[in-house]
Amino acid sequence: MNTPASDRARYDRATAHLDAPLAIVDLNAFDANADDVVRRAAGKPVRVASKSVRCRALLERVLARPGFAGIMSYTLAESVWLARSGFEDVLLAYPSADRAGFAELASDAKLAGSVTVMVDDPAQLELIDRARDGGREEIRVCLELDTALRLFGGRVRVGARRSPLREPAELAGLAEAVQRRPGFRVVGLMAYEGHVAGVGDAVAGRPLRSRAIRLMQAAARRELAARRAEVVRAVREVVPDLEFVNGGGTGSVQHTAAEASVTEIAAGSGLYQPRLFDNYTSFSGRPAALFALPVVRRPGVGVVTVLGGGYPASGAAGADRLPEPYLPRGLRYDPQEGAGEVQTPLLGAPADDLLVGDRVWFRHAKAGELCERFDRLHLVEGDVVTASVPTYRGEGRTFL
């Protein structure tokens, strides 16, 4: 059984020959997390979310495992790059206004057959047609369903503001519009229930809030399961050969997989297990992606300063968006300074045992965003770095 102290010793030994700052992925933890996602998917294929990985070598690793099939990408430029790199089933999870990307897609049969784009508005079809630049390849289209829970007659909304399409007739109507339009074909339907999949229901020290979240999520799952099934029936009346219905996310894998209308599950963050995914009752992952910052100062008793550290996660600003000082245990931020751009003071008794040049290991709040700060991930097995692989950034690709 690994302990935080033994993990810290392993990571220090494995990377002793490297200078920090640096980032690692513990492959044993990564693989164990992948196995857990597949177990919870209960036989339905898992499409890996690339934005939560942002490393081609690790995308290849997870897709080589039984139970995973296909990529869910986040920009059209990334989708085209991945398809040209040999990934054959890429679902773009967000609408795009990348005219050059659409022109490239429409002019290349292999790309057009490998990439599916997201649409929830006829205006997006118009944009794609204007961008074709003579390309005549058929564009594969996925429609997105709004999953938000609406309460009290719609006066309260819980969930991300994504697609405007909510009711079966709306999705079926857009499916008909796509099918009538030359050069497009509906192949899939997606519904991402972020208020279930991406919100922890066991917030430390907040029992009442945690219970309220669990009650909300239970209601949201019931409402969405019924509505999603109706939407799928309506769309299949227009598109009988619909290839896939995608749903879920790391935090809702087993619940979404239980819906008969869903044919595949999306997940990605659970592979790295960032700190925002610690607060779930439905699963428990192993921290797999970490970064180390070197101690460069000892300002006083109970204080050390590390180089860098200001790597906040996207979303509504708050303390939960900051990286977590993870190893050694017991360090915390100075509330007057927080995580700094070029240096970060850390407080706590463990500081007195740290010397200049020692490392503090951190966990990012979110998954793939860590890779926007580092150009390489050092892959650790046991107490050895077995490979060092480039992140997207290390390959010169910064898509967003």
Side-chain angles (χ1 to χ4, degrees), residues 19-330:
D19 286 330
L22 59 86
I24 67 167
V25 170
D26 184 330
L27 289 180
N28 291 335
F30 181 90
D31 291 345
N33 292 338
D35 287 343
D36 183 67
V37 169
V38 170
R39 176 189 61 80
R40 291 192 289 131
K44 292 190 176 176
V46 179
R47 185 181 292 273
V48 61
S50 64
K51 78 179 182 68
S52 300
V53 179
R54 300 191 204 196
C55 171
R56 282 199 298 168
L58 289 175
L59 288 173
E60 290 169 354
R61 183 184 183 91
V62 74
L63 285 170
R65 302 180 69 83
F68 286 88
I71 287 179
M72 176 177 283
S73 59
Y74 61 98
T75 74
L76 182 55
E78 180 211 14
S79 305
V80 168
W81 179 61
L82 290 173
R84 291 206 182 279
S85 300
F87 296 95
E88 296 181 347
D89 180 7
V90 182
L91 168 62
L92 175 56
Y94 306 87
S96 176
D98 180 354
R99 291 172 295 180
F102 283 125
E104 188 174 2
L105 190 67
S107 63
D108 188 307
K110 184 178 185 302
L111 284 181
S114 299
V115 176
T116 301
V117 304
M118 193 62 59
V119 168
D120 58 33
D121 188 320
Q124 295 154 355
L125 302 175
E126 294 284 353
L127 186 150
I128 295 170
D129 264 342
R130 291 196 303 271
R132 283 179 180 269
D133 193 27
R136 297 179 179 274
E137 297 298 332
E138 185 176 69
I139 304 298
R140 292 167 53 87
V141 168
C142 179
L143 308 180
E144 183 170 2
L145 166 68
D146 171 36
T147 65
L149 175 66
R150 295 183 181 178
L151 302 170
F152 307 109
R155 293 190 297 275
V156 175
R157 174 193 173 93
V158 182
R161 296 183 182 275
R162 292 176 62 110
S163 171
L165 306 174
R166 181 173 181 82
E167 301 302 328
E170 295 174 326
L171 275 296
L174 184 55
E176 290 174 350
V178 174
Q179 297 293 83
R180 287 196 304 267
R181 193 178 187 110
F184 295 90
R185 178 165 61 95
V186 175
V187 299
L189 178 69
M190 188 188 89
Y192 172 58
E193 53 267 45
H195 49 302
V196 179
V199 178
D201 63 352
V203 184
R206 304 288 297 275
L208 294 179
R209 176 175 175 79
S210 297
R211 177 168 173 74
I213 290 172
R214 287 194 290 273
L215 290 171
M216 176 276 291
Q217 290 180 339
R221 289 195 300 267
R222 289 192 299 270
E223 187 276 336
L224 179 59
R227 183 159 53 88
R228 179 156 40 198
E230 293 176 3
V231 167
V232 171
R233 282 194 293 271
V235 171
R236 285 195 184 278
E237 288 182 3
V238 179
V239 190
D241 57 346
L242 194 70
E243 294 178 15
F244 65 86
V245 177
N246 181 281
T250 288
S252 67
V253 170
Q254 64 271 41
H255 301 298
T256 309
E259 296 182 32
S261 63
V262 174
T263 67
E264 64 174 42
I265 308 300
S269 293
L271 298 172
Y272 285 172
Q273 190 62 21
R275 62 173 297 208
L276 282 178
F277 284 80
D278 285 348
N279 303 320
Y280 286 81
T281 58
S282 60
F283 76 100
S284 178
R286 290 173 54 185
L290 302 96
F291 64 94
L293 302 179
V295 173
V296 293
R297 286 177 168 163
R298 291 172 48 88
V301 175
V303 186
V304 292
T305 301
V306 295
L307 185 69
Y311 309 155
S314 59
D320 64 340
R321 302 288 148 164
L322 297 178
E324 174 193 25
Y326 178 55
L327 300 172
R329 305 295 289 220

